[in-house]
Amino acid sequence: MIYDVIVIGAGSMGIATGYNLAKAGKNVLMLDAFNPPHEEGSHHGETRIIRFAYGEGASYVPFVKRAGELWKELEALTDEALFLQTGVMNVGEETHTFIQNVKKSARLYDLALEQYSAAEAMEKWPGLSLPENFVACFEPTAGVLRVEACIRAYKKLALEAGATLHTNEKVQNIKAGEIVSVQTANNIYEAKHLVVTAGAWATELLQTVDITIPVTPTRKTFAWFEADEHLYHEDIFPAYCFEFADSAYYGFPSIDGAGLKLGRHDGGDGINPNDPLRPFDEQDAIDLQNFINRFMPQHGALKFGKPCKYSMTPDEDFIIDFLPEHQNIVIAAGFSGHGFKFSSAVGEVLADLTLNGKSKHVLSLFKLSRFKTH
Ligand SMILES: Cc1cc2nc3c(=O)[nH]c(=O)nc-3n(C[C@H](O)[C@H](O)[C@H](O)COP(=O)(O)OP(=O)(O)OC[C@H]3O[C@@H](n4cnc5c(N)ncnc54)[C@H](O)[C@@H]3O)c2cc1C
């Protein structure tokens, strides 16, 4: 049989795409090397920040606003609580580009943003300790997505809408053409259209069609610390992004009594995504411990940490585009550690590109042609 669309990778981006395509009445096959949600890619660890006053650049704001609408829609459709409105504070020196962008995004798009000096922020959140020259830009309508629950919700809707999902079936090879064929260990599948949403494996997979995308799979870690619930509970303390001249950290209040969660955004080692990730180790712990001792000093002991995969592009902007010379293959990759919040909107965009050849969103920031691919 020839499917209308095959989606390779049913993780954050792929499962939302599969749902949108099936909802449009298409005959969709989603293939995943594991069984999403799982801990092998980029979508585990309970929580992801969603913020609208975007520090990475104001041009992301319309896209993330649409994503926010679609998360609300997903909650309504599945009767699941997926978004937690904790607010998000963006912290750093006032002159830092990220902080400037947060303010610019809020100004341009009329987003609620409260600005606090270090002293004011420490009064509002007594669990916080900031140097005098830092500011906190607090976005009260931002918050946290329950990442695995979001994926489960899209999975349920996609299957109900008639999509087929084959789990634990890794695609080894893609053959482009008017009819695209994809090969797994035991099967060959054919479709009129292909969507590649393979996360940290996108680079190796696209090499099978002679395209080299500059997406580097990278090992990252995050950890949970015991927290005084009077200071750090989700109703009291917000999610946070800290920007320094040479590093960036992000994290979460204690949600469901889990403790303070913290990760470092910059850096990390390039990896082969097929190798087992080096477990969370002493050096990872020291780095996070140094941060939390300084800025949330009333935390308790480290509980545990985990490794995870980022897919980094050189400019940290995403790739969402057709494959050069193959208008029936669309790819979405290189989400560079800030993609999850967008995945509801990415699913809509990928379905539109596949079915209509275009999207109502401005995608110029995400063009593959900004890189050399051969
Ligand atoms: C620790 C951590 C914290 C983060 N925090 C945030 C945050 O706060 N906010 C935010 O917006 N983003 C955040 N991100 C980034 C975000 O989670 C990722 O950008 C997003 O999950 C990437 O989605 P994806 O679909 O590309 O990858 P994934 O969700 O990993 O999905 C890729 C899927 O493709 C499958 N696959 C791969 N190769 C094949 C193949 N050959 N055949 C079949 N299937 C295949 C995989 O099994 C996987 O299921 C964070 C990421 C990490 C790791």
Side-chain angles (χ1 to χ4, degrees):
M1 105 182 255
I2 297 178
Y3 289 93
D4 291 324
V5 191
I6 292 175
V7 179
I8 305 179
S12 316
M13 308 300 159
I15 201 77
T17 309
Y19 163 62
N20 277 282
L21 289 166
K23 191 178 69 167
K26 296 296 155 187
N27 189 4
V28 186
L29 172 65
M30 300 182 287
L31 293 165
D32 201 283
F34 300 96
N35 188 2
H38 59 74
E39 298 220 338
E40 303 296 330
S42 305
H43 62 247
H44 60 286
E46 298 173 13
T47 45
R48 292 291 183 269
I49 292 174
I50 177 165
R51 49 195 161 78
F52 304 92
Y54 219 57
E56 288 82 347
S59 43
Y60 278 93
V61 178
F63 202 23
V64 72
K65 280 178 78 175
R66 177 61 183 152
E69 288 169 8
L70 290 171
W71 290 122
K72 287 220 168 77
E73 190 181 296
L74 183 63
E75 281 190 314
L77 286 171
T78 56
D79 206 16
E80 291 271 343
L82 303 172
F83 171 68
L84 203 58
Q85 194 178 329
T86 58
V88 176
M89 61 172 156
N90 300 281
V91 181
E93 288 190 36
E94 188 145 27
T95 52
H96 195 291
T97 310
F98 191 93
I99 300 293
Q100 290 293 316
N101 281 340
V102 165
K103 289 190 192 179
K104 188 175 169 196
S105 296
R107 209 169 45 241
L108 285 177
Y109 291 95
D110 206 15
L111 303 169
L113 193 72
E114 300 166 13
Q115 299 181 43
Y116 299 103
S117 67
E120 288 166 342
M122 290 190 289
E123 198 181 321
K124 185 170 169 66
W125 298 291
L128 195 63
S129 168
L130 296 181
E132 224 173 74
N133 61 333
F134 272 32
V135 295
C137 295
F138 175 64
E139 198 186 359
T141 51
V144 175
L145 291 162
R146 295 180 185 271
V147 54
E148 289 96 341
C150 289
I151 289 183
R152 267 194 294 272
Y154 268 130
K155 185 174 177 177
K156 179 170 174 282
L157 291 189
L159 296 178
E160 281 174 6
T164 302
L165 171 63
H166 289 190
T167 56
N168 303 305
E169 188 165 5
K170 184 174 181 178
V171 174
Q172 298 169 337
N173 194 45
I174 300 170
K175 215 153 144 209
E178 207 168 308
I179 297 297
V180 183
S181 78
V182 305
Q183 190 183 345
T184 65
N186 299 314
N187 293 299
I188 292 177
Y189 301 99
E190 292 184 320
K192 295 177 205 156
H193 297 271
L194 180 68
V195 177
V196 180
T197 43
W201 292 263
T203 308
E204 74 163 28
L205 192 56
L206 289 171
Q207 270 160 0
T208 69
V209 277
D210 295 327
I211 302 287
T212 303
I213 56 167
V215 171
T216 309
T218 305
R219 174 186 178 273
K220 306 294 298 179
T221 59
F222 52 99
W224 283 262
F225 292 82
E226 300 282 359
D228 178 344
E229 296 287 329
H230 294 104
L231 295 172
Y232 298 119
H233 184 268
E234 67 204 62
D235 291 341
I236 299 165
F237 201 72
Y240 52 92
C241 298
F242 276 66
E243 301 294 324
F244 304 94
D246 55 358
S247 61
Y249 293 78
Y250 65 90
F252 302 81
S254 180
I255 297 173
D256 305 332
L260 276 165
K261 181 181 160 191
L262 167 64
R264 182 168 176 171
H265 177 68
D266 65 295
D269 300 327
I271 50 163
N272 176 337
N274 299 307
D275 292 342
L277 280 175
R278 192 175 84 244
F280 184 82
D281 64 20
E282 184 74 22
Q283 193 50 48
D284 302 317
I286 290 170
D287 190 25
L288 298 182
Q289 195 93 50
N290 285 341
F291 172 88
I292 205 165
N293 289 348
R294 172 66 189 89
F295 296 101
M296 284 148 219
Q298 294 169 78
H299 69 87
L302 171 68
K303 292 171 79 176
F304 60 92
K306 286 186 178 188
C308 184
K309 290 167 189 150
Y310 271 15
S311 300
M312 301 303 296
T313 61
D315 55 12
E316 301 190 16
D317 291 321
F318 314 149
I319 296 170
I320 301 176
D321 207 348
F322 295 99
L323 215 56
E325 293 147 41
H326 302 291
Q327 288 296 300
N328 60 347
I329 304 182
V330 175
I331 65 168
F335 286 93
S336 301
H338 65 116
F340 188 79
K341 64 182 78 61
F342 296 90
S343 58
S344 54
V346 172
E348 184 178 63
V349 162
L350 295 180
D352 280 344
L353 291 178
T354 301
L355 301 179
N356 309 319
K358 59 182 185 333
S359 159
K360 60 179 185 282
H361 289 281
V362 178
L363 301 175
S364 43
L365 189 60
F366 310 134
K367 283 249 162 261
L368 184 55
S369 57
R370 72 190 193 272
F371 303 119
K372 202 168 154 270
T373 51
H374 284 288

